Coordinates of all heavy atoms in Angstrom, one line a residue:
R59 N -72.4 -92.2 -24.1 CA -73.5 -91.5 -23.3 C -73.0 -90.5 -22.3 O -73.7 -89.5 -22.1 CB -74.3 -92.6 -22.7 CG -73.6 -93.4 -21.6 CD -74.4 -94.6 -21.2 NE -73.7 -95.3 -20.1 CZ -74.0 -95.1 -18.8 NH1 -74.9 -94.1 -18.4 NH2 -73.3 -95.8 -17.9
R60 N -71.9 -90.7 -21.7 CA -71.4 -89.7 -20.7 C -71.0 -88.4 -21.3 O -71.2 -87.3 -20.8 CB -70.2 -90.3 -19.9 CG -70.6 -91.4 -19.0 CD -69.3 -92.0 -18.4 NE -69.5 -93.3 -17.8 CZ -69.9 -93.5 -16.5 NH1 -70.0 -92.4 -15.7 NH2 -70.1 -94.7 -16.1
R61 N -70.4 -88.5 -22.5 CA -69.9 -87.3 -23.2 C -71.0 -86.5 -24.0 O -71.0 -85.3 -24.0 CB -68.7 -87.6 -24.1 CG -68.0 -86.4 -24.7 CD -66.7 -86.9 -25.3 NE -65.9 -85.7 -25.7 CZ -64.7 -85.8 -26.3 NH1 -64.2 -87.0 -26.6 NH2 -64.1 -84.7 -26.7
Y62 N -71.9 -87.3 -24.6 CA -72.9 -86.7 -25.4 C -74.3 -87.2 -25.0 O -74.9 -87.9 -25.8 CB -72.7 -86.9 -26.9 CG -71.3 -86.5 -27.4 CD1 -70.3 -87.4 -27.7 CD2 -71.0 -85.1 -27.6 CE1 -69.1 -87.1 -28.1 CE2 -69.8 -84.8 -28.0 CZ -68.8 -85.7 -28.3 OH -67.6 -85.4 -28.7
P63 N -74.8 -86.9 -23.8 CA -76.0 -87.6 -23.4 C -77.2 -87.3 -24.2 O -78.1 -88.1 -24.6 CB -76.2 -87.0 -21.9 CG -75.4 -85.8 -21.9 CD -74.2 -86.1 -22.8
A64 N -77.4 -86.0 -24.6 CA -78.6 -85.6 -25.4 C -78.5 -86.2 -26.8 O -79.5 -86.7 -27.3 CB -78.7 -84.1 -25.4
A65 N -77.4 -86.2 -27.4 CA -77.2 -86.7 -28.7 C -77.4 -88.2 -28.8 O -78.1 -88.8 -29.7 CB -75.8 -86.4 -29.3
V66 N -77.0 -88.9 -27.7 CA -77.1 -90.3 -27.6 C -78.6 -90.7 -27.4 O -79.1 -91.6 -28.0 CB -76.3 -90.9 -26.5 CG1 -76.7 -92.3 -26.1 CG2 -74.8 -90.8 -26.8
L67 N -79.3 -89.9 -26.6 CA -80.8 -90.1 -26.4 C -81.5 -89.9 -27.7 O -82.4 -90.7 -28.1 CB -81.3 -89.1 -25.4 CG -82.8 -89.2 -25.0 CD1 -83.0 -90.5 -24.2 CD2 -83.4 -88.0 -24.3
A68 N -81.1 -88.9 -28.5 CA -81.7 -88.6 -29.8 C -81.5 -89.8 -30.8 O -82.5 -90.2 -31.5 CB -81.3 -87.3 -30.4
A69 N -80.3 -90.3 -30.8 CA -80.0 -91.4 -31.7 C -80.7 -92.6 -31.3 O -81.3 -93.4 -32.1 CB -78.5 -91.7 -31.7
N70 N -80.8 -92.9 -29.9 CA -81.6 -94.0 -29.5 C -83.1 -93.9 -29.8 O -83.7 -94.8 -30.2 CB -81.4 -94.1 -27.9 CG -82.2 -95.3 -27.4 OD1 -83.3 -95.1 -26.8 ND2 -81.7 -96.5 -27.4
A71 N -83.6 -92.6 -29.7 CA -85.0 -92.4 -29.9 C -85.3 -92.7 -31.4 O -86.4 -93.2 -31.7 CB -85.4 -91.0 -29.5
L72 N -84.4 -92.2 -32.3 CA -84.7 -92.4 -33.7 C -84.7 -93.9 -34.1 O -85.6 -94.4 -34.8 CB -83.6 -91.7 -34.5 CG -83.6 -90.2 -34.6 CD1 -82.4 -89.6 -35.3 CD2 -84.9 -89.7 -35.3
A73 N -83.7 -94.7 -33.5 CA -83.7 -96.1 -33.8 C -84.9 -96.8 -33.3 O -85.6 -97.7 -33.9 CB -82.4 -96.7 -33.3
V74 N -85.2 -96.6 -32.0 CA -86.3 -97.3 -31.3 C -87.7 -96.9 -32.0 O -88.6 -97.7 -32.2 CB -86.4 -97.0 -29.8 CG1 -87.6 -97.5 -29.2 CG2 -85.2 -97.6 -29.2
S75 N -87.8 -95.6 -32.3 CA -89.0 -95.1 -32.9 C -89.2 -95.8 -34.3 O -90.4 -96.2 -34.7 CB -89.0 -93.6 -33.1 OG -89.0 -93.0 -31.8
A76 N -88.2 -95.8 -35.1 CA -88.2 -96.5 -36.4 C -88.6 -98.0 -36.2 O -89.4 -98.5 -37.0 CB -86.9 -96.4 -37.2
Y77 N -88.1 -98.6 -35.2 CA -88.3 -100.0 -34.9 C -89.8 -100.2 -34.7 O -90.5 -101.1 -35.2 CB -87.4 -100.5 -33.8 CG -87.7 -101.9 -33.3 CD1 -86.9 -102.9 -33.9 CD2 -88.6 -102.2 -32.4 CE1 -87.1 -104.2 -33.4 CE2 -88.8 -103.6 -32.0 CZ -88.0 -104.6 -32.5 OH -88.2 -105.8 -32.1
L78 N -90.4 -99.4 -33.8 CA -91.8 -99.5 -33.5 C -92.7 -99.1 -34.6 O -93.7 -99.7 -34.8 CB -92.1 -98.6 -32.2 CG -91.4 -99.0 -30.9 CD1 -91.7 -98.0 -29.8 CD2 -91.8 -100.4 -30.5
A79 N -92.3 -98.0 -35.4 CA -93.1 -97.6 -36.5 C -93.2 -98.6 -37.6 O -94.3 -98.8 -38.2 CB -92.5 -96.3 -37.1
I80 N -92.2 -99.4 -37.8 CA -92.2 -100.4 -38.8 C -93.1 -101.5 -38.4 O -93.7 -102.2 -39.2 CB -90.8 -100.9 -39.1 CG1 -90.0 -99.8 -39.8 CG2 -90.8 -102.1 -40.0 CD1 -88.5 -100.1 -40.0
G81 N -93.3 -101.7 -37.1 CA -94.2 -102.7 -36.6 C -93.6 -104.0 -36.0 O -94.2 -105.0 -35.8
Y82 N -92.3 -103.9 -35.7 CA -91.6 -105.0 -35.1 C -92.1 -105.2 -33.7 O -92.6 -104.3 -33.0 CB -90.1 -104.7 -35.1 CG -89.5 -104.8 -36.5 CD1 -88.8 -103.6 -37.0 CD2 -89.6 -105.8 -37.3 CE1 -88.2 -103.6 -38.2 CE2 -89.0 -105.8 -38.6 CZ -88.3 -104.7 -39.0 OH -87.7 -104.7 -40.3
P83 N -92.0 -106.4 -33.2 CA -92.5 -106.7 -31.9 C -91.7 -106.1 -30.7 O -90.5 -105.7 -30.9 CB -92.4 -108.3 -31.7 CG -91.3 -108.6 -32.7 CD -91.4 -107.6 -33.8
Y84 N -92.4 -105.8 -29.6 CA -91.7 -105.3 -28.4 C -90.8 -106.3 -27.9 O -91.0 -107.5 -28.0 CB -92.8 -104.9 -27.3 CG -93.7 -103.8 -27.7 CD1 -95.0 -104.2 -28.0 CD2 -93.3 -102.5 -27.8 CE1 -95.9 -103.1 -28.4 CE2 -94.2 -101.5 -28.2 CZ -95.5 -101.9 -28.4 OH -96.4 -100.8 -28.8
G85 N -89.6 -105.8 -27.3 CA -88.7 -106.8 -26.9 C -87.6 -106.1 -26.1 O -87.7 -105.0 -25.6
P86 N -86.4 -106.8 -26.0 CA -85.3 -106.2 -25.2 C -84.8 -104.9 -25.7 O -84.1 -104.2 -25.0 CB -84.2 -107.3 -25.4 CG -84.9 -108.6 -25.7 CD -86.1 -108.1 -26.5
I87 N -85.1 -104.5 -26.9 CA -84.7 -103.2 -27.4 C -85.2 -102.1 -26.5 O -84.6 -101.0 -26.4 CB -85.1 -103.0 -28.9 CG1 -84.4 -101.7 -29.4 CG2 -86.6 -102.8 -29.0 CD1 -84.7 -101.5 -30.9
M88 N -86.3 -102.3 -25.8 CA -86.9 -101.3 -24.9 C -86.0 -101.0 -23.7 O -86.1 -100.0 -23.1 CB -88.3 -101.8 -24.5 CG -89.2 -102.1 -25.6 SD -89.5 -100.8 -26.8 CE -90.5 -99.7 -25.9
F89 N -85.1 -102.0 -23.4 CA -84.2 -101.8 -22.2 C -83.3 -100.6 -22.5 O -82.8 -100.0 -21.6 CB -83.4 -103.1 -22.0 CG -84.2 -104.2 -21.5 CD1 -83.9 -105.5 -21.7 CD2 -85.4 -104.0 -20.8 CE1 -84.6 -106.6 -21.2 CE2 -86.1 -105.0 -20.3 CZ -85.8 -106.4 -20.5
T90 N -83.0 -100.4 -23.8 CA -82.1 -99.3 -24.1 C -82.7 -97.9 -23.7 O -81.9 -97.0 -23.4 CB -81.8 -99.2 -25.6 OG1 -83.0 -99.0 -26.4 CG2 -81.2 -100.5 -26.1

Side-chain angles (χ1 to χ4, degrees):
R59 64 191 184 92
R60 294 177 192 267
R61 190 167 185 179
Y62 306 106
V66 168
L67 181 75
N70 177 264
L72 288 174
V74 173
S75 299
Y77 179 93
L78 296 177
I80 293 173
Y82 293 121
Y84 297 106
I87 191 174
M88 307 302 288
F89 292 151
T90 63

